[in-house]
Amino acid sequence: GESVGLHLPTLSVQEGDNSIINCAYSNSASDYFIWYKQESGKGPQFIIDIRSNMDKRQGQRVTVLLNKTVKHLSLQIAATQPGDSAVYFCAETVNFGNEKLTFGTGTRLTIIP
Amino acid sequence: DAGVIQSPRHEVTEMGQEVTLRCKPISGHNSLFWYRQTMMRGLELLIYFNNNVPIDDSGMPEDRFSAKMPNASFSTLKIQPSEPRDSAVYFCASSWRAGIGGYTFGSGTRLTVV
């Protein structure tokens, strides 16, 4: 039978290219955001975070951009590798330090060798 | 550090049976979270503890679910009686700075109720 469930956005990128994963958040009061990576059979893994007083933060091969005006968050991965294939989630919270994170539905990224 | 440790990794049980999932958080972390992940609903927060005290259990689906944290190094999530719709992957996560820097998740327990 047909399975019904969340329709995960998917993104396929050639190995070595850059990828951009987008996330729209709904709560304008959210002030802390985190990107997680979840590989098959594993728990989500922290990648990078950003506070609302910033609009850009860089890590190793990853950059997070925050546009509070349109409530949009993006994760850029440079020079993608096969190991980057995973589901990526954005998470948000209100009041920096509040432990209760709200997770988005996720985007499946596939790196094509 | 071995990270957040969950057991068992897989659990198959019959409808109506009691199921207990276990979690050992990272030493020194003072907050612990239980999440459920399904295709239908994604990642849902069930309950979280701070310093072993339940802070928010509004995500616990119904009275069949209960969670305890008797000490800083151990937590359980119990389902009694279990139902097929409880089938999911259950994650435990911990953090030490009130969520700053995110949580560290365990590898999850895949529960199948038949």
Side-chain angles (χ1 to χ4, degrees), chain A residues 82-96:
Chain A
D84 294 329
S85 293
V87 176
Y88 289 81
F89 294 93
C90 64
E92 61 185 289
T93 188
V94 177
N95 298 328
F96 178 61

Side-chain angles (χ1 to χ4, degrees), chain B residues 49-98:
Chain B
F49 297 83
N50 184 259
N51 293 322
N52 312 337
V53 175
I55 302 299
D56 185 341
D57 66 354
S58 59
M60 295 287 261
E62 48 199 274
D63 292 346
R64 297 185 298 106
F65 286 68
S66 62
K68 293 183 180 179
M69 192 165 186
N71 57 61
S73 59
F74 184 65
S75 177
T76 59
L77 177 68
K78 185 177 293 187
I79 308 172
Q80 165 63 18
S82 57
E83 296 182 3
R85 60 193 169 117
D86 301 331
S87 297
V89 181
Y90 291 81
F91 288 104
C92 176
S94 67
S95 72
W96 70 279
R97 289 188 296 173

Side-chain angles (χ1 to χ4, degrees), chain A residues 24-82:
Chain A
Y25 63 94
S26 57
N27 191 344
S28 56
S30 292
D31 62 0
Y32 181 54
F33 305 87
I34 304 174
W35 279 100
Y36 283 88
K37 172 186 180 183
Q38 186 176 22
E39 296 175 272
S40 180
K42 298 184 179 180
Q45 178 184 11
F46 173 92
I47 302 174
I48 191 168
D49 59 358
I50 188 167
R51 293 185 66 175
S52 60
N53 60 355
M54 304 172 68
D55 53 22
K56 181 179 180 178
R57 189 154 189 239
Q58 288 184 288
Q60 186 176 14
R61 285 201 306 118
V62 295
T63 301
V64 56
L65 300 178
L66 175 62
N67 185 330
K68 294 179 288 293
T69 303
V70 295
K71 292 185 285 187
H72 183 268
L73 195 66
S74 68
L75 177 70
Q76 300 177 358
I77 305 174
T80 53
Q81 304 168 357

